[in-house]
Amino acid sequence: MTVFVTGGAGFIGSNFVYHQLGKYPQERVVCIDKLTYAGNMRTLQKASEHDNFRFVKADICDRNAIFELFKEEKPDIVVNFAAESHVDRSIEEPEVFLTTNILGTQVLMDACREYGIKRFHQVSTDEVYGDLPLNRPDLMFTEKTPIHTSSPYSASKAAADLLVQAYIRTFKLPATISRCSNNYGPFHFPEKLIPLMITKALADKALPVYGKGVNVRDWLYVEDHCKAIDMIIRDGKEGEVYNIGGHNEMANIDIVKLICTELGKPESLITYVEDRKGHDLRYAIDPTKIHNELGWLPETRFADGIKSTIQWYLDNRAWWEEILSGEYRSIEL
Ligand code: NAD
Ligand code: TDX
């Protein structure tokens, strides 16, 4: 069995690489990553010591390179994590989001059609459903919630989802889609809320909270996401969408205060800054389908996951300091 993991030098993709190599050491994992600012070879250092792991630097939009790799490796399963993933960057510069997130997905699916595949899995996001009001805790996103996007990022992910569904129907591509809530855990790039606040607090720098900090996200420990994807690619039904979420809604400000408490830093570091344009109010995933069909349940309680994540950033200072200094861009393994 050969599994292609695109975007495996990023946050969730790398956690998935380690999950696969740990659980199925006899299977081959080929990581394809362009190494944008979000990709980091240091993250894959341990993986690269594994006999069944191969890293290929390539852009998923590069049709020739991708087709060549499919021809050579004949993957059984492709899991597409590769994407531009940061909402704020999509507001500043939308174009690369459309190129990578939509056209890159198309190239991968065309290669799957050309060379044959057991399963193509698209890693999507809860952001394709738009947002929910803060005063209606009874509402949640199900797989039937209409697509309704807010940012160029979420619009590009939704466009990719529609394209995957078109390939499923038109070309009978054996594909699945998962839409997950906010992840946290090791190797999270320090531009996203949790790692940004941890690394800034450790340096006694201001903690920039957008607006009033009341926006709510549904946080899931990254390993639980990886386990869910593993279940979907092996036992999930072709053509289906699966929501993945932790039933763990938290307001941003409460997360930032918790990080201050855990690190023994004063809340006076918190600085309220201009709100994100089009800022989604609340995300909440209903994961009933994946629970009923595949038996998946989140295993890590937020109280434990956030503690071990903070500890990981304390134990792995070199990893994020190399990012802050920019040195990580020139690492070769
Ligand atoms: P990330 O930004 O940490 O990593 C993205 C990776 O993709 C990087 O290694 C980058 O180098 C690579 N990449 C970017 N453009 C590429 C291209 N054209 N060709 C090849 N590689 C390319 O992102 P992440 O947080 O790990 O997210 C992974 C996936 O999960 C994304 O598709 C994202 O939309 C989705 N997702 C993320 C979250 C979250 O909370 N982080 C939640 C739900 C869904
Ligand atoms: O400095 C900040 N201050 C702040 O208040 C940052 C970076 C964020 N925020 C707020 C904005 C959001 O309400 O924190 C919340 C979380 O922000 P991000 O970490 O940027 O994540 P979000 O916008 O929720 O998107 C994430 O979850 C869905 C991922 O980045 C996406 O890739 C995923 O699809």
Side-chain angles (χ1 to χ4, degrees):
M1 175 89 100
T2 296
V3 182
F4 272 14
V5 180
T6 68
F11 166 44
I12 309 175
S14 62
N15 277 281
F16 186 75
V17 164
Y18 285 112
H19 182 263
Q20 291 299 290
L21 291 174
K23 190 167 176 194
Y24 310 102
Q26 73 291 359
E27 293 182 9
R28 186 164 169 76
V29 175
V30 179
C31 168
I32 303 162
D33 199 295
K34 184 183 178 182
L35 297 180
T36 67
Y37 81 91
N40 186 347
M41 283 312 288
R42 184 70 72 211
T43 302
L44 291 174
Q45 190 160 350
K46 283 220 168 70
S48 64
E49 291 160 13
H50 203 288
D51 288 343
N52 274 335
F53 178 77
R54 177 183 177 195
F55 176 80
V56 179
K57 184 177 175 186
D59 185 338
I60 57 165
C61 304
D62 182 342
R63 190 167 281 267
N64 289 338
I66 295 300
F67 274 55
E68 273 306 307
L69 203 56
F70 269 73
K71 201 167 146 187
E72 183 190 344
E73 289 279 358
K74 298 180 188 59
D76 300 281
I77 297 175
V78 175
V79 188
N80 182 27
F81 292 93
E84 288 293 335
S85 69
H86 193 36
V87 173
D88 293 325
R89 287 179 189 256
S90 82
I91 296 167
E92 294 301 317
E93 230 176 303
E95 194 165 325
V96 67
F97 284 75
L98 308 189
T99 311
T100 287
N101 298 3
I102 306 171
L103 299 179
T105 303
Q106 184 209 357
V107 168
L108 291 171
M109 291 194 296
D110 284 344
C112 290
R113 287 177 58 212
E114 177 75 20
Y115 295 100
I117 193 87
K118 288 199 183 88
R119 178 65 61 88
F120 174 79
H121 183 72
Q122 176 69 0
V123 180
S124 185
T125 169
D126 60 359
E127 298 202 17
V128 301
Y129 298 122
D131 63 351
L132 296 163
L134 291 175
N135 61 357
R136 289 290 308 273
D138 54 314
L139 296 180
M140 303 191 105
F141 300 133
T142 74
E143 291 81 357
K144 293 195 166 68
T145 302
I147 301 280
H148 182 91
T149 58
S150 310
S151 68
Y153 163 70
S154 56
S156 69
K157 293 295 290 185
D161 282 15
L162 294 176
L163 200 58
V164 174
Q165 287 174 324
Y167 272 55
I168 290 168
R169 173 151 176 163
T170 309
F171 304 117
K172 309 273 179 291
L173 186 78
T176 37
I177 297 173
S178 55
R179 297 181 179 145
C180 190
S181 57
N182 285 57
N183 286 214
Y184 69 100
F187 300 122
H188 204 179
F189 197 84
E191 66 181 349
K192 308 281 170 56
L193 182 76
I194 289 180
L196 183 84
M197 296 300 164
I198 297 172
T199 53
K200 281 200 182 290
L202 285 171
D204 295 309
K205 288 194 174 148
L207 307 177
V209 171
Y210 298 164
K212 295 193 172 71
V214 294
N215 303 60
V216 168
R217 298 292 182 265
D218 176 3
W219 294 94
L220 180 71
Y221 194 61
V222 63
E223 203 185 335
D224 281 327
H225 186 187
C226 295
K227 286 179 181 167
I229 293 174
D230 182 40
M231 285 179 175
I232 295 169
I233 58 179
R234 286 160 204 271
D235 300 319
K237 220 170 120 203
E238 277 177 35
E240 293 290 312
V241 174
Y242 292 93
N243 279 356
I244 307 169
H247 276 309
N248 181 67
E249 293 179 48
M250 306 256 309
N252 295 337
I253 188 65
D254 294 331
I255 299 232
V256 179
K257 285 184 178 170
L258 183 66
I259 291 171
C260 288
T261 306
E262 289 292 329
L263 291 174
K265 298 290 179 181
E267 286 182 10
S268 56
L269 289 175
I270 295 173
T271 314
Y272 293 92
V273 300
E274 190 190 337
D275 210 351
R276 175 183 279 172
K277 289 187 181 72
H279 199 170
D280 280 337
L281 290 171
R282 171 177 166 250
Y283 304 142
I285 277 281
D286 177 354
T288 305
K289 177 175 170 177
I290 188 167
H291 175 59
N292 288 346
E293 285 189 18
L294 302 177
W296 177 86
L297 273 180
E299 291 169 26
T300 305
R301 286 172 49 232
F302 186 77
D304 301 327
I306 192 70
K307 277 201 176 76
S308 63
T309 300
I310 292 172
Q311 193 58 48
W312 188 88
Y313 280 83
L314 288 167
D315 295 341
N316 292 275
R317 265 182 176 271
W319 180 84
W320 54 268
E321 282 176 351
E322 261 182 354
I323 293 177
L324 299 187
S325 71
E327 282 169 70
Y328 77 112
R329 300 300 309 262
S330 46
I331 295 166
E332 282 179 31
L333 297 180

